[in-house]
Each structure stands twice: as structure tokens, then as C-alpha cells.
Amino acid sequence: MKNKLFPDLTYCLKKSTFCILIFLVGALLCCTPDTVSAKKLDKVTLQLKWFHQFQFAGYYAALEKGFYEDEGLDVSIVERDLRHNPIDQVLNGESEFGISNSEVLLHYLKGKNVVLLASVFQHSPLVFISKTQPLIHSAQDLKNKNLLMSSASQDIELKVLMERNGVSLNDVKLVDRFATPEDYFDPSIDIIAAYITNQPYYLKKENVPYSIIYPYTHGVDFYGDTLFTSRAQIQKYPERVSKFLRASLKGWQYALEHPDELVDIISEKFGSLKTKEHLKYEADTIRTLILPTLVRIGHNNPVRWEQIGAEFKQQGMVNQTKDLSNFFFNPADGQVTIRQETALLAAVIFAAIMIVLLASIFVAGKFKQEINNRLEIEEKLKKSEKYYRSLFDNTGAATVIIDQKHTIIKCNENFAQLCGTTVEKIENKLKWTDFIAPEEYERMTSYASSRFSSNQSPPKSYDFKFLKADGEIRNVHVDVGVIEGSTDCVASIIDMTEKVKTQELLIQTEKMVSVGGLAAGMAHEINNPLAGILQAVQNIYRRTSPDVPANKTAAKEVGSSCEQIQAYLEKRGIIKMLDGIHSSGERAANIVHTMLNFTRRNDGGMTVCNLNKLFDDIMNIITCDYDLKRKYDFKHTKIIKDYQENLGKVNCLRIEIEQVLLNLVKNAAYATNEISDIRTPTITLRTKMDDKYITAEVEDNGPGMSPEVKRRVFEPFFTTKSPGVGTGLGLSVSYFIITQNHKGTFDIETEIGKGTKFTIKLPIV
């Protein structure tokens, strides 16, 4: 009986268990997943500090990507109601979580039960923007400005910035309200309390100039957006808080990695009033505030928060600071702990460093004296090098050091100036032979090659022709010596060009004095026979004239008449010959007279002269100048005499004024010859007068002068003629004669391709 009973009982138990399992499975299958989720999700509210924008992108990402749902949270994100403070809304229980800034610490220090969860923005986005001229760049300049800022806002770091710089709200013309887009361009508002992520976008878009005053440049570096909750929330739902914080930070990581996706979500699902372009600008700027590549997102630094609290106390916002342990959700967040193993490893590394350091000090001590000795020697060498370099650079001569291959390895500034280039372009780049005239090359190189020969002894001092970089030839004197213990040579060069020109000028002057004396003597010698020729011609005229009775008597005695003899002479052209002899004789006598006047020294000093007469005398001389006649045919040169009639007279040294006029006319002849194949050479001699001056002008239609030549035309030894043709002293001496000896003026007018006009003005008598 017993055995029979137990099998039945076992059977019934098995059957009942099976039925219960079937019931449970059916019940589970009848329940939908949504029903299960609805029962598991915990509803919470996040109160934003402003309207929907990229500033809160991390929380949107956590919601849309399911990070909150994964943590079992059903989160509602609520925009700011400007009538309320998000901190008050969280403390009153209207929201579980909120977004604020460093103001959350101020409430904590005042006894409010707020708890910081994460410091998302490591720097505050709040700034002052100056947008009216003149723009300001310092907080001290806020005084007396029209400042738009809401006193009820959370702009606590801006208020601290003003207080720290001695500016109160009474010192500004406060426009106490939140800014609107129209305010950004209102000229009556000077300064706007703004977000670096917002207002600059509008100003840049409209090309409005502005400046930004950053709090951190004035020592006010507060945190920006912070995530917080209440102490009551943590005490009652600590796990919920941990989940919300974890999902929110994960959302920020995603938002920073996918900014374009979040821009679309914010614009399309949350109805942001900003354009996508503006949201992208905001995303780029926010990255610089969060600094995800430098610190962990949401990182809290307790020391920095303590400094912010101390700033609140210093500005009188709180009476005293207090322990911040209850301020942080995780008090250990941001603090550094060192493990025992790490400390031991650090001690070992420190000991090793100390051993190496002591060994280095020991070894360094061994070499200290030697180093000091070397430094002392080096210092002496530097002083010696400076000393000799100073001598090298300041000898007054062009000095150069040359190696055995003629390369210039060292030269001073004087040598570079002589070459017409720079020291940098010469040293180790050019050779000594680059500055030797071609006709001197063989002689100079033979000197250089024989300088190191024991059989030959080249001169150490000599003259040669120096070739400048621009091709100009200079006469120089050089002293050359071999540097002891080296194959290098040092050469000291003195430019003798001006001295040579002066010597040539003296020789030329002596020649001219001799020629002048010779010309005067020749004129006297020629004058005597010339007078005899003219007298003989006069006698022939007189002895063949029918008007003389003695001539008729003599003709009658030889069986003829004066009329027949006169007819014969005319028939044979003898009368014309006599007229030619007489005309040539008178012209020769006039030339001799002019030559005597030109070469005769005027020991009587100043004389009264007529410039028209001086011009004519000069032309008589110049047309007989053999050198000019040989090179320039005055028959093909048009001479225009534009003389003023009844010209006044000047008080002058005749010979000096003749010298000036002669020089000007000869220069004009040279100039016009250069264009003889283009146009008829023309020289105009012009005189005129006014109330104070008599003016003489010599004008030609030659090639003219460049501005550079015109600027230097009166310089001594400056000439554009070929070597040996001119000395370069004619115009400089003429200028001195007119301006210094005669108190007149000497001017030049010239134009390339049109000719040159020299104008002399002398005081009228």
C-alpha cells in the first residue's frame, strides 16, 4: 500500500511543477518588451541654463544614442525659464539635475545643499565684447560705458572681473536685461556681456569690428558649464546619480567626436533657433573650452575650486569659506594618491639620479681648473682677435688678405668701397685678380708667383691700375707683405686717382701757361709782317689810283695812262687779288688782336665789358681752334646769335669770363657732334637783361644729360668724355668763377634727347 502511494505522489508533484512552468512562460510571452522597459526606466529631468544649442550637445547625444536608456533612465531635457534660476529649480525638487557654472559654488558656500557632479567646461565662455569705436581691451576701461548685462544672470565671473579691477555696477551705464540679436548692432550699446560661442558669430558674419575682454587674462579663470544635483537627491538615489553622470559624460565624448551629427540632431529634433552654420561655429569654440585632449571630460580640480571660493570671499560675496568635501559628488575626484610601490620606485630613481649627479660633480671638479685655464686663454685670444680686427678695419686704407690662389679671404669696409661692392660678396668668393686691369694682369701675377721664390724678389710697394666692379679704372698704390708663418699675403691699398688727376692738371696748367706765352709771342711776331703786308697793299691801291696826279705823270712817261693800267689790272683780276689780300690781312690782324687780348693778364683788375662783344671775340677764336676744326666742321654747325640790342655792361675780369664762355661753347660743340647724323647741330648764343642782371645763355640741341649726370656736372674731376679728352675741371672752375669771383649765378637746364642750356647771370653795372 505504501509503495503504491508514493509513486502517485511523485507523479502529481512532477505534473504540478510542469504546469507552473508552462504558466510562467506564457505570462512572460504575453508581456511586451515596451511594458518591461516602461517598468524599469527611471524618470528624471535635466534643467538647462539656456535654450537648445550645441552648448548642451553631450546631453542630447546621451538621450538620442540611448546612453541614458542603457542606464535605465528616462531623461527629459528642459530649456531655461528666464524667470527662474536652475539652481533654485533643482533645490526645490522641480528637476533632479541642472546645468550651471561657478555660481554653484557660491550657493554651496552660502549654505545651499548643492553637489557638483562634473566640470564640463574647463574655462568659462563668458566675456565682455567691445563693439563701438574706440574699442577697449581692458576691464578698467569699462567705466562710463553703456554695458548690457543682466544683474539677475549667472554671469558671476564677469562681476568678479569688474570688482577685481575696481569697477562696480555704479561705474557703468548698466542696461539691465538679456541681450537680443538687435543689441549686437545697436550703436548706443558699447559693451555686451556675451558668450564666446555665440555673439562673435553674428559680428564676424556682418564684418563688424570688435574686441574681446577675457576674464582669464585678468586672473579670473573660473569653470564654465557644470553639471550638479542636490544633496537630497544623492542621499535618496545615489545609484541614479552615478548612472546619470556616467551616461552624460559618455554623451559628451560622443558629441565631440561627431559634431556634425549632433548639429543635425539639435537643429531637427530639438528645434534650435540657430542655423546649422552657427551651431558648427559653436561646436568648434566649445571644444577649446572643454579641452578633451588635455583633461578627462568633466574633470574637477579641488584646488582650483578652493581658489574660486577664496576669490568669492575676497570680493565680499561670502563671509567665509568652508570645507568642500560635501561639495563634490566624489570627493576624491581630482586628488592624486601615490601607491607604496610607486613611491618606492620614485625613491630608487631619485637615488640613482643623485649618484649620477655626485659622480658628475666629482668628474667636473677634476676638469674645472683646466676649463678655467682654457677659458682664460680663449678670452685672451678673443681680445687679441678684436684688437687686430680693429686695426685691420680702421687703418684708413683698403686692406685685404689674399691666399696663395689669389682668393680674397679677408677684407675691410674700405676695400669693399674701393671695389664698389660689399664685404659679403668679396670674402672667399672673389679673387685678387678680378680687380686688376687687363693690361696690368701679367705684371701683377708675376709679382705674386715670385713672392715665394728664393731666387726672385718682387717689389713690396708699387702702383697699378685697379679695376672696380662697375668697370671703372682707378690709379692705386699698394704695399704687399707675406704674413709670417703663412702663405697668405696682406695688402694695403691707397687710392691715388685724385692725386694723379691733380698732377695731370698741374702739368696741363703749366702747358697752358707756356702755350699762352708762346701764343702771345707768336701774335707779336706775326703782327709786324702782317702790318707790312697791309701797308704794301695800301700803297699798291694808292699808286694805281687815277686820282693821284703823280700816277698820271708816271703813266704818261711810259706811254700809257692810269685808266689803261687800271683796266689791265681789272682785266687780269689783279684788283680782286689785292682786295682778297687786304681782306685776309685785316681778318688776320683782328685775330691777332683778339689773341693778344685773351692771353694778356688783366693786371688792372675788373673792367666794364659787353657780353655781346665777348661772345663775338670767343667765336673768332674758336673757329680758328685747330682741334675743333679738325674734329667738328663749324660750316655744318648752325650758330644762332640772339643778342639783345643796347645790352648793358657788366663789371668783370675779362679773361675769366672769356674762359667761361669759351668752355661752354666748346662743350656745346662736343655735344652737338654726337647727334650730327640725326639733326643739324645748332648752338644758340643768347643775351638779355633785366633790372638787376645781364644773362648769357649757351644752348645746344645735343643729346642732353641724365638726372645723375646733371647732379654731378659741377663736381671737380667729373667728366663724361673719353679718358684723355677732358679733365673734368672746366665746368667746376667756371662755376667757381661765376659764383665766387663775380657773385653771379650759374644754372643748367637739360632733357634727354632735347639738349642742354647753361645760363649765367652777372650783376649789371
Side-chain angles (χ1 to χ4, degrees), residues 321-340:
T321 59
K322 62 180 182 179
D323 182 57
L324 300 185
S325 299
N326 292 326
F327 178 63
F328 300 105
F329 174 60
N330 179 10
D333 188 24
Q335 297 181 357
V336 179
T337 58
I338 302 177
R339 295 186 302 173
Q340 184 177 359

Side-chain angles (χ1 to χ4, degrees), residues 54-120:
F54 202 92
Q55 182 179 357
F56 313 111
Y59 311 110
Y60 305 139
L63 181 63
E64 292 299 315
K65 306 311 292 186
F67 300 152
Y68 286 137
E69 186 176 350
D70 292 343
E71 296 287 354
L73 299 175
D74 181 8
V75 178
S76 298
I77 300 177
V78 181
E79 285 186 309
R80 169 80 181 272
D81 183 347
L82 297 179
R83 297 172 298 174
H84 305 291
N85 189 314
I87 297 178
D88 295 333
Q89 291 176 291
V90 172
L91 292 176
N92 294 337
E94 297 177 28
S95 299
E96 286 74 23
F97 303 97
I99 308 298
S100 184
N101 55 9
S102 297
E103 186 184 11
V104 70
L105 176 61
L106 184 61
H107 283 71
Y108 173 81
L109 295 176
K110 290 182 176 180
K112 300 295 182 65
N113 289 319
V114 292
V115 179
L116 177 68
L117 299 180
S119 302
V120 180

Side-chain angles (χ1 to χ4, degrees), residues 260-521:
D260 293 338
E261 180 183 348
L262 264 296
V263 166
D264 293 335
I265 291 173
I266 296 169
S267 179
E268 297 168 6
K269 293 190 176 183
F270 288 89
S272 176
L273 298 178
K274 294 183 177 180
T275 64
K276 289 187 177 182
E277 181 184 5
H278 190 170
L279 291 171
K280 289 179 181 180
Y281 169 83
E282 187 181 12
D284 294 336
T285 309
I286 283 175
R287 175 174 286 275
T288 65
L289 301 174
I290 297 177
L291 303 176
T293 58
L294 298 180
V295 296
R296 175 176 52 84
I297 297 176
H299 173 71
N300 297 315
N301 186 338
V303 175
R304 187 174 170 195
W305 278 108
E306 289 175 358
Q307 293 172 347
I308 295 173
E311 185 68 40
F312 290 157
K313 181 182 178 183
Q314 183 178 350
Q315 299 300 328
M317 296 181 176
V318 294
N319 295 327
Q320 61 181 9
T321 59
K322 62 180 182 179
D323 182 57
L324 300 185
S325 299
N326 292 326
F327 178 63
F328 300 105
F329 174 60
N330 179 10
D333 188 24
Q335 297 181 357
V336 179
T337 58
I338 302 177
R339 295 186 302 173
Q340 184 177 359
E341 295 84 351
T342 304
L344 180 61
L345 179 60
V348 172
I349 294 174
F350 178 76
I353 292 173
M354 290 302 298
I355 292 173
V356 173
L357 181 60
L358 291 173
S360 300
I361 293 174
F362 178 77
V363 173
K366 290 288 186 180
F367 294 102
K368 184 177 181 180
Q369 187 61 42
E370 182 178 351
I371 292 173
N372 289 337
N373 291 338
R374 292 194 177 191
L375 289 174
E376 185 177 352
I377 294 172
E378 184 179 350
E379 186 64 26
K380 289 181 179 179
L381 288 173
K382 286 182 179 178
K383 288 183 179 179
S384 177
E385 196 275 336
K386 288 181 181 178
Y387 176 77
Y388 286 107
R389 184 70 198 186
S390 178
L391 290 177
F392 185 81
D393 289 336
N394 298 287
T395 58
T399 308
V400 62
I401 297 177
I402 311 159
D403 66 12
Q404 204 166 7
K405 294 182 178 179
H406 309 307
T407 301
I408 299 172
I409 58 178
K410 215 74 169 173
C411 71
N412 63 5
E413 188 63 33
N414 290 338
F415 182 80
Q417 291 178 1
L418 177 62
C419 297
T421 182
T422 62
V423 173
E424 293 75 14
K425 292 181 179 180
I426 296 174
E427 290 183 346
N428 298 307
K429 296 177 182 177
L430 299 179
K431 293 181 178 292
W432 170 250
T433 50
D434 294 332
F435 300 102
I436 298 174
E439 62 269 24
E440 300 273 22
Y441 185 84
E442 184 176 352
R443 177 170 70 98
M444 298 294 289
T445 52
S446 66
Y447 286 170
S449 60
S450 62
R451 190 159 284 117
F452 298 96
S453 174
S454 58
N455 299 328
Q456 295 178 325
S457 179
K460 295 182 178 180
S461 178
Y462 50 88
D463 297 335
F464 74 98
K465 294 187 181 299
F466 188 90
L467 179 64
K468 292 184 64 174
D470 60 0
E472 181 184 354
I473 300 294
R474 307 289 292 182
N475 295 295
V476 300
H477 177 81
V478 63
D479 292 292
V480 184
V482 179
I483 299 176
E484 187 175 353
S486 170
T487 57
D488 297 338
C489 295
V490 60
S492 181
I493 306 164
I494 299 176
D495 189 352
M496 306 292 290
T497 305
E498 305 307 325
K499 182 179 178 181
V500 171
K501 286 183 176 180
T502 303
Q503 291 175 344
E504 291 177 352
L505 177 63
L506 291 174
I507 294 171
Q508 182 70 15
T509 302
E510 291 177 359
K511 287 182 178 179
M512 291 302 295
V513 171
S514 300
V515 169
L518 180 61

Side-chain angles (χ1 to χ4, degrees), residues 711-731:
R711 184 178 64 83
R712 301 185 58 193
V713 74
F714 293 121
E715 292 181 10
F717 302 109
F718 176 77
T719 180
T720 58
K721 298 175 183 177
S722 303
V725 176
T727 63
L729 285 170
L731 286 176

